[in-house]
Amino acid sequence: MKALLVIDVQYDFLEGGSLEVKDSNKIIPIINKLTKSKEFDLVIFTKDWHPSNHKSFASQHSGKNMFDLIELNGIPQVLWPNHCVQNTHGSEFHHNLDLNIPNLYIFKKGMNPDVDSYSAFYENDHKTSTGLTDFLKEQGVTDIFITGLATDYCVKYTAIDGCKDGFKTTVIIDATQGIAEDIKPHHKEMVDYGIDLRFSSIYLD
């Protein structure tokens, strides 16, 4: 069984959002084609779903600025602008994403105000599970294919955790977009974990 994971394609991460990934809207048509591909047995969309008082937000730390690095409960933490706050426009999927998909499931992450969640599998303490691993294994999934935002954060950490949890893991690189200007070191890091990097054309009719 193969699952396509679409990571955090939400307004706040897309062009014009509060934590914008440059040129990110270009991946939406590719994702829409992939979700219709017969290659995948089920599709998982993930959502950052933060409470308004999430401690990864710079606004929650007096005297700190956005993108400062602090320690949060023993874990290095970049301080982000407020983003993907529950039930706000910025937390919603982009309206051009086609969600009319059989076997579509939505997983939310980042709901604990005291710890951030980059990976779709675990919070950043690497202890607290989102339940995605168990769900996929219950469905009989052996192979996962990852798309979405951002390559160097939530996509990368999702891929690494998926690989560690025993899934054959592929990142579809033209269906992701990164924050860093040079994304190659992040690609190399994933390859070093045994993650495959492929282009979408392989999976499209």
Side-chain angles (χ1 to χ4, degrees), residues 119-137:
S119 169
F121 290 99
Y122 296 93
E123 293 182 346
N124 287 4
D125 60 7
H126 302 295
K127 298 175 183 177
T128 308
S129 171
T130 65
L132 182 56
T133 293
D134 288 343
F135 173 79
L136 292 175
K137 289 186 174 179

Side-chain angles (χ1 to χ4, degrees), residues 51-103:
S52 60
N53 65 339
H54 201 280
K55 291 185 176 64
S56 71
F57 296 164
S59 62
Q60 299 299 305
H61 302 271
S62 179
K64 295 294 184 181
N65 298 311
M66 288 186 292
F67 309 111
D68 283 352
L69 183 64
I70 67 165
E71 189 172 284
L72 180 61
N73 297 318
I75 303 168
Q77 176 67 54
V78 176
L79 293 180
W80 304 111
N82 289 25
H83 65 276
C84 298
V85 174
Q86 296 172 11
N87 300 309
T88 64
H89 173 74
S91 70
E92 296 306 316
F93 296 127
H94 192 279
H95 67 278
N96 285 335
L97 277 173
D98 185 356
L99 302 180
N100 185 23
I101 306 163
N103 299 319

Side-chain angles (χ1 to χ4, degrees), residues 1-21:
M1 287 274 285
K2 297 178 180 180
L4 180 71
L5 275 59
V6 181
I7 307 299
D8 300 355
V9 185
Q10 298 164 265
Y11 281 111
D12 274 343
F13 295 128
L14 291 159
E15 294 170 29
S18 66
L19 189 45
E20 175 184 19
V21 179

